[in-house]
Amino acid sequence: MKFIANLIDALNERVGRAAIWLVLLSALVSAGNASFRYLFGMSSNGMLEIQWYMFSLIFLLGAGYTLKHDGHVRIDVIYGRLPKRAQAAIDIFGTLFFLLPVSLFITKMSWDMALVSFQINEGSPDPGGLLRWPIKMAIPLGFALLSLQGISEIIKKILFLLDRQPPAPVEQHPERIA
């Protein structure tokens, strides 16, 4: 089981690190587009659409990475004061009954929509816009990666509860208020 969790972790780590670079690329495209618009009076629907495509990819492809690094928002009023074993049990429950059902449902529903979009070669209705099916394909991909990471987290929490591995070190998040 640990091997499977490690494979999933490695996959989401690579995808997440690639998505991080989209932040810089998105900022550069945005600045370039704004500069061309104000300096030369030129604008492009394709450039505007690529900006929101990249913004979407940052969140979709980064969700599993964020879960792996325990970066999702949570209310720590009670949870943070509980013992690590109780936290692990709550995480397993929440992942099994909330995260996985929702993310698997979205994966299934968005796959059907993305497949239709691909089959009809859906494009933007705006002049000079981009194809829509590639970004629609990113939705099931992102939620599938999130689902896989949820499975990895369950495996790691179960192994912790069975005393087969020490608790993971708590990452320091300076932006969080303890």
Side-chain angles (χ1 to χ4, degrees):
M1 285 190 348
K2 180 70 173 158
F3 177 75
I4 293 168
N6 287 339
L7 282 176
I8 295 169
D9 286 352
L11 172 65
N12 271 309
E13 187 70 27
R14 285 193 180 102
V15 172
R17 291 201 177 268
I20 288 170
W21 285 100
L22 288 174
V23 175
L24 174 62
L25 185 58
S26 180
L28 293 173
V29 169
S30 179
N33 194 33
S35 297
F36 271 88
R37 187 172 56 250
Y38 290 112
L39 294 174
F40 306 112
M42 297 169 50
S43 186
S44 161
N45 285 331
M47 290 299 285
L48 291 172
E49 288 181 9
I50 196 69
Q51 286 174 234
W52 68 262
Y53 279 25
M54 286 188 286
F55 186 72
S56 300
L57 288 171
I58 291 164
F59 285 93
L60 288 168
L61 300 180
Y65 174 87
T66 304
L67 180 60
K68 177 184 180 288
H69 290 279
D70 195 25
H72 286 283
V73 175
R74 73 169 80 208
I75 300 172
D76 284 341
V77 175
I78 297 171
Y79 177 90
R81 295 182 180 159
L82 295 173
K84 293 285 185 198
R85 296 180 86 67
Q87 290 178 356
I90 290 169
D91 289 342
I92 291 169
F93 177 82
T95 303
L96 280 173
F97 292 101
F98 297 106
L99 186 136
L100 285 178
V102 170
S103 63
L104 289 170
F105 176 75
I106 294 171
T107 301
K108 168 66 173 110
M109 297 305 291
S110 62
W111 173 252
D112 294 341
M113 173 208 52
L115 194 56
V116 168
S117 181
F118 174 76
Q119 289 169 339
I120 65 171
N121 200 31
E122 182 182 7
S124 172
D126 300 319
L130 304 175
L131 288 172
R132 288 283 162 93
W133 65 262
I135 196 64
K136 287 186 176 183
M137 287 288 186
I139 299 169
L141 175 61
F143 278 94
L145 289 169
L146 180 60
S147 298
L148 285 173
Q149 192 61 45
I151 292 167
S152 172
E153 296 304 313
I154 288 172
I155 291 170
K156 291 184 287 190
K157 303 292 182 186
I158 289 171
L159 290 174
F160 169 68
L161 290 175
L162 295 174
D163 291 324
R164 296 217 180 138
Q165 73 176 21
V170 177
E171 292 187 37
Q172 297 302 316
H173 297 282
E175 68 280 0
R176 288 188 185 174
I177 298 173

